[in-house]
Amino acid sequence: MTKAGEQLTGGAAAGPKMHEVYLGLGSNLGDRERNIRVAIEKINELVGDVVRQSALYVTEPWGFTSDNRFVNAVVCCMSHLSPRELLRATQQIERDMGRRVKSVNRQYHDRLIDIDILLYDDLSIDEPDLVIPHPLMQQRDFVMRPLEEIKKGCDR
């Protein structure tokens, strides 16, 4: 028996292709840990299932001076979104959470939430507003430590 609109097939119906995506999260304003939790909930809703999550890391600001320390984490999720759709979704989450100023020309500022696309499958993209893998992640211990923590455990 099938539901209306379904076809009988010899196997499971193929859904949209799922992509393994790693996102870096950071917050240094307000309730930083809560900001990270809320961002992860929104990622689950708008991007795809979060299948792995690193511990939270408290770090000093990178690339600018601030009295506010960061809480950072990395998540792995499975998403059907294209890289461009993923960028739009993460930027929407940032705006929904109250982020008003985006870093431009590596001029960084305090922020409620920052979501960076670190990796998208094995894809390489180099466009003016979208670079994957993230071009500075190798220089950032607050990205590499949590990424290494969860990278081995994220399977397709």
Side-chain angles (χ1 to χ4, degrees):
M1 177 177 263
T2 62
K3 294 180 184 174
E6 287 184 340
Q7 296 179 349
L8 289 174
T9 60
K17 178 170 173 29
M18 299 303 284
H19 304 280
E20 185 178 82
V21 175
Y22 289 87
L23 302 173
L25 295 87
S27 174
N28 78 328
L29 292 176
D31 186 340
R32 301 164 304 162
E33 291 182 15
R34 180 182 178 283
N35 293 342
I36 298 294
R37 284 193 309 271
V38 169
I40 292 169
E41 290 170 11
K42 291 181 177 293
I43 289 166
N44 261 311
E45 293 169 17
L46 299 176
V47 173
D49 292 336
V50 173
V51 295
R52 296 280 293 170
Q53 174 183 332
S54 74
L56 299 180
Y57 291 78
V58 177
T59 63
E60 295 298 324
W62 187 94
F64 73 107
T65 302
S66 175
D67 293 334
N68 304 312
R69 297 176 81 195
F70 274 84
V71 170
N72 295 99
V74 171
V75 297
C76 174
C77 63
M78 302 306 294
S79 180
H80 67 278
L81 299 179
S82 70
R84 181 72 44 197
E85 291 169 331
L86 177 62
L87 177 63
R88 282 193 293 268
T90 57
Q91 289 175 339
Q92 184 63 52
I93 292 168
E94 290 175 337
R95 283 190 300 275
D96 289 350
M97 291 184 65
R99 183 163 181 187
R100 299 292 173 247
V101 178
K102 242 350 226 180
S103 301
V104 177
N105 296 323
R106 297 188 180 163
Q107 297 296 311
Y108 302 109
H109 308 278
D110 291 321
R111 45 204 170 267
L112 286 169
I113 193 66
D114 184 41
I115 305 172
D116 290 332
I117 302 170
L118 305 176
L119 300 167
Y120 184 105
D121 290 335
D122 295 324
L123 196 61
S124 290
I125 298 175
D126 190 357
E127 298 175 2
D129 64 335
L130 180 61
V131 180
I132 301 173
H134 191 286
L136 300 174
M137 70 181 199
Q138 296 290 335
Q139 300 172 28
R140 297 174 171 176
D141 194 44
F142 64 86
V143 170
M144 295 310 294
R145 285 186 57 210
L147 179 62
E148 290 167 359
E149 175 189 331
I150 66 169
K151 185 96 168 76
K152 296 180 188 86
C154 192
D155 299 319
R156 292 182 198 217

